[in-house]
Amino acid sequence: MHTQSISTPSRSFVLSAMQGDKGGQLTVLAILAAIVLIPLANVWLPTTHPLYVETFTISLLGKYLSYAMLALAVDLVWGYLGILSLGHGAFFALGGYAMGMYLMRQIGDRGVYGNPILPDFMVFLNWQELPWFWHGFDQFWFAALMVILVPGAMAFVFGYLAFRSRVSGVYLSIITQALTYALMLAFFRNEMGFGGNNGLTDFKDILGYNLQQDSTRIALFVCTGVALVLSYLVCRSVVASRLGRVAVAIRDSESRTRFMGYDVDGIKLWVFVLSAVIAGIAGALYVPQVGIINPGEFAPLNSIEVVVWVALGGRATLFGAIVGALVINYAKSWFTVEFPEVWLFALGGLFVLSTLYFPKGLMGFVSDKWRLLSKKKPNKNQSKEAMI
């Protein structure tokens, strides 16, 4: 049987793909407005002004935006390909560790032990030389390349083996969860050379700029917002293309799509790797803003929580995943301050309520209502004809 191939969408397709996506347009405009107005509110307004935004709040919002990128990556494979991945937190953490290794190499002799080559945790553990896999991370371009290659390679190997073996459904979800749990256990070990239980922290600067300066934190926030917008445009161009339509066909009926001659395994692998790369970039942007990366980021609970963000915001909408991540993480920050013991119950309640009353998520519900209202509005030409 001849296997049909799907070409990747061109750059010129992005703008046309956004034309029919009103929710996405509003979301992108809101993000762009935020990355312009929020820094201005920090720089130009006095601290006593009611609209003044603290630098700490900007870093917190930057963390939310990196989470939104992770949710976007999950929605791409779950919403449009039908792959419920419970291991995307692993790709997020791998990208974060790649950036953390670069930040650790930038400390140099400013560490506690003053060793210009070995990070503090290696000196403490009596390492005599820098491991081979740490070489090159003193250069930003190399670290940026690893942020993309490491999660992408992991996703490619895992996806190739899983999809070629026709593993799908709940079994694939369990395997992805097992993958992230195995990585968590491995990174907890001191002999792995990634900081063990404490992870990587005490970062000083990035590209020569002090991470504690307000200007650097603002720049990281803006970069994260821009990366989120670009990631959304890439994902939107994919789902609005022929490749996206075939991906939806695979989600709805994989056997029928395979019988029609499409390279189902190749399409699933391509989208899965793209999703992993986006998650890795999100992790790389997350680390310098929070100042630490440890094996706890691999915890399967984190990946499950991302699925809740996507489900609440609206699966298979892309912009709904962004909204869900922002809303839930803001609620988490508020609950952990005001009612810390209630947060897990509140999260479970949100998931149950969204499943029962908003099966398409909040944004899916809003989109359906908007569509109904648009249909009820009479067309001007039809109204004139009725009057005649």
Side-chain angles (χ1 to χ4, degrees), residues 32-343:
L32 293 176
I35 63 177
V36 172
L37 297 178
I38 291 177
L40 292 179
N42 174 270
V43 176
W44 285 359
L45 297 179
T47 56
T48 56
H49 196 280
L51 296 179
Y52 173 77
V53 180
E54 296 180 353
T55 306
F56 171 78
T57 303
I58 292 179
S59 295
L60 189 64
L61 293 174
K63 183 177 75 169
Y64 294 166
L65 292 179
S66 63
Y67 283 154
M69 282 186 65
L70 176 58
L72 184 67
V74 172
D75 191 29
L76 182 63
V77 293
W78 185 31
Y80 294 91
L81 202 55
I83 299 176
L84 178 56
S85 173
L86 299 180
H88 260 58
F91 305 129
F92 180 83
L94 287 173
Y97 264 97
M99 178 56 68
M101 292 167 72
Y102 162 76
L103 297 174
M104 290 296 290
R105 292 298 308 273
Q106 297 306 298
I107 296 175
D109 57 4
R110 293 174 292 174
V112 176
Y113 298 100
N115 192 307
I117 303 297
L118 298 180
D120 284 339
F121 74 89
M122 291 186 183
V123 178
F124 178 78
L125 295 173
N126 295 321
W127 288 61
Q128 301 302 316
E129 59 181 7
L130 194 70
W132 64 268
F133 49 84
W134 275 79
H135 290 285
F137 279 96
D138 55 334
Q139 302 294 325
F140 180 81
W141 68 267
F142 183 83
L145 188 63
M146 291 301 105
V147 165
I148 296 173
L149 288 182
V150 173
M154 176 69 72
F156 180 84
V157 173
F158 174 84
Y160 181 85
L161 296 175
F163 301 147
R164 294 291 174 179
S165 302
R166 306 289 174 88
V167 179
S168 60
V170 65
Y171 300 104
L172 183 61
S173 300
I174 293 173
I175 293 175
T176 57
Q177 192 174 41
L179 172 68
T180 187
Y181 186 68
L183 288 172
M184 182 187 71
L185 295 179
F187 274 70
F188 265 121
R189 300 176 66 88
N190 288 328
E191 57 267 28
M192 285 289 292
F194 296 105
N197 183 55
N198 296 323
L200 309 177
T201 187
D202 195 29
F203 309 133
K204 305 296 183 184
D205 49 47
I206 180 171
L207 290 173
Y209 296 97
N210 190 343
L211 283 172
Q212 303 306 319
Q213 289 183 348
D214 292 351
S215 59
T216 306
R217 292 181 175 273
I218 292 173
L220 287 169
F221 166 74
V222 173
C223 289
T224 308
V226 172
L228 176 58
V229 170
L230 293 177
S231 298
Y232 183 85
L233 294 177
V234 170
C235 292
R236 179 62 191 173
S237 66
V238 169
V239 301
S241 66
R242 186 185 175 203
L243 171 64
R245 293 191 291 272
V246 175
V248 172
I250 294 172
R251 180 196 67 187
D252 296 338
S253 180
E254 180 176 334
S255 58
R256 181 178 297 178
T257 307
R258 193 184 299 274
F259 179 76
M260 292 175 65
Y262 288 101
D263 183 10
V264 171
D265 298 332
I267 295 171
K268 290 168 71 174
L269 183 60
W270 193 94
V271 177
F272 189 71
V273 171
L274 174 62
S275 174
V277 168
I278 294 174
I281 296 173
L285 292 167
Y286 167 85
V287 168
Q289 297 184 89
V290 300
I292 188 173
I293 178 72
N294 58 42
E297 297 295 336
F298 286 101
L301 181 61
N302 292 349
S303 297
I304 296 173
E305 195 171 322
V306 179
V307 172
V308 177
W309 304 345
V310 176
L312 181 64
R315 178 188 171 195
T317 59
L318 293 181
F319 66 90
I322 295 175
V323 174
L326 297 177
V327 169
I328 293 183
N329 280 285
Y330 175 80
K332 181 178 182 179
S333 298
W334 185 82
F335 268 100
T336 50
V337 172
E338 301 295 334
F339 307 100
E341 66 281 355
V342 181
W343 164 241

